[in-house]
Amino acid sequence: MTELDTVGDASVSYGLRINGRDRAVQAGWLGESLLYVLRERLGLPGAKNACEQGECGSCSVLLDDVLVCACCVLAADATDSDIRTVEGLGDGGRLTDVQRAFLDEGAVQCGFCTPGLVIAIHDLLDRRPDADESTVREAISGNLCRCTGYGRILAAVAAVQRERSGD
């Protein structure tokens, strides 16, 4: 279901492809953000709701393999896209190498920013596996973390890079 089906005067029903699975959104509103639909209508709480202005990165998802803030995307505009959330990164519920490195390196404290950072780092390392620290810092500059000071996050990225390169 990729077409928008109007229900009554104000609500619509449509489909989204999330983490490789088609999901129906029933009786939605055209003005709902992708973040709202993911969390409140489809029960995917991984993307966090914080600033709702695209400034903190806690709601980061991949939309057709492009990193976006789900709070700044209308869900109805994503009907023909592949959406990947933090819930869809691991295979069968297993942690990815980035998620494992976050745990091993102590890069998780309160955890609120973690899903957005994990998505951003996957995006970066999938495109630039040999990214230097400056590139990593730039890639995660849209993700605010108020707990870790970023040192443990950078250590986690370095650990993943070592593991992926076989060092």
Side-chain angles (χ1 to χ4, degrees), residues 80-138:
D80 293 323
S81 298
D82 287 317
I83 301 160
R84 194 163 167 199
T85 69
V86 71
E87 291 95 341
L89 290 177
D91 184 25
R94 292 190 341 216
L95 296 178
T96 67
D97 54 355
V98 173
Q99 291 167 322
R100 171 59 50 206
F102 264 61
L103 291 174
D104 293 346
E105 297 295 331
V108 177
Q109 288 193 10
C110 84
F112 200 81
C113 65
T114 304
L117 279 161
V118 166
I119 287 278
I121 292 167
H122 268 283
D123 177 56
L124 171 67
L125 296 180
D126 288 348
R127 290 181 295 107
R128 307 243 346 243
D130 59 345
D132 61 17
E133 185 176 317
S134 175
T135 303
V136 174
R137 286 180 180 274
E138 175 66 26

Side-chain angles (χ1 to χ4, degrees), residues 4-14 25-32 41 76:
L4 300 177
D5 298 324
T6 302
V7 179
D9 290 334
S11 64
V12 294
S13 296
Y14 53 92
V25 178
Q26 302 293 327
W29 172 60
L30 287 176
E32 292 173 336
R41 292 194 179 277

Side-chain angles (χ1 to χ4, degrees), residues 13-70:
S13 296
Y14 53 92
L16 295 173
R17 184 147 185 86
I18 304 168
N19 300 326
R21 187 170 153 221
D22 291 325
R23 306 283 301 259
V25 178
Q26 302 293 327
W29 172 60
L30 287 176
E32 292 173 336
S33 72
L34 179 57
L35 175 62
Y36 179 84
V37 170
L38 290 171
R39 291 183 57 82
E40 306 303 328
R41 292 194 179 277
L42 299 176
L44 295 168
K48 303 299 182 205
N49 186 4
C51 73
E52 296 188 72
Q53 298 175 8
E55 294 183 8
C56 73
S58 64
C59 64
S60 297
V61 299
L62 294 171
L63 186 67
D64 292 329
D65 295 325
V66 174
L67 187 67
V68 299
C69 290

